[in-house]
Amino acid sequence: MYAWIWRKFPGNVWSKLTFSVVLLAAVGSLLWYVVFPWATPLLPFDDVQVGDTSQIDPNSVNQNADTGPSRATNPSPDPDASAPEVIPYSTTSNHPDPGGLAGD
């Protein structure tokens, strides 16, 4: 296909090279400004959910939890009381802690 396009361009090597660069820029611009914006809503890049609600164990959800406005005005005295003492992952690299998870 590229050889056919190269043979159809008029002129010598430099003019064919110029036509090739112009054709490449035109195709790139057409894709960038017309095709990609049209296709973006059709692609699932914004659907980044990790799991769905069918994976939640209904027995682990407290049905009587206070989630109303009074909860927002009366926070618990120590919000970090249930936080783990050791972070179970490295904060400087993508590698897991070789010692295992916290609490092991």
Side-chain angles (χ1 to χ4, degrees):
M1 175 176 89
Y2 298 115
W4 178 83
I5 293 172
W6 186 261
R7 284 191 308 266
K8 295 298 179 184
F9 284 147
N12 60 8
V13 173
W14 290 108
S15 65
K16 289 182 180 189
L17 187 61
T18 303
F19 280 119
S20 297
V21 170
V22 169
L23 181 64
L24 183 66
V27 168
S29 297
L30 180 71
L31 287 171
W32 190 263
Y33 292 108
V34 178
V35 176
F36 294 156
W38 168 82
T40 298
L42 304 175
L43 300 174
F45 294 135
D46 291 335
D47 186 20
V48 291
Q49 75 186 51
V50 175
D52 58 4
T53 57
S54 67
Q55 296 175 347
I56 296 175
D57 181 15
N59 296 327
S60 67
V61 178
N62 185 359
Q63 299 296 330
N64 298 323
D66 184 15
T67 58
S70 65
R71 175 86 175 157
T73 57
N74 299 325
S76 67
D78 187 10
D80 293 330
S82 64
E85 293 294 323
V86 178
I87 298 174
Y89 54 86
S90 173
T91 58
T92 57
S93 70
N94 229 10
H95 302 292
D97 183 22
L101 296 175
D104 284 348

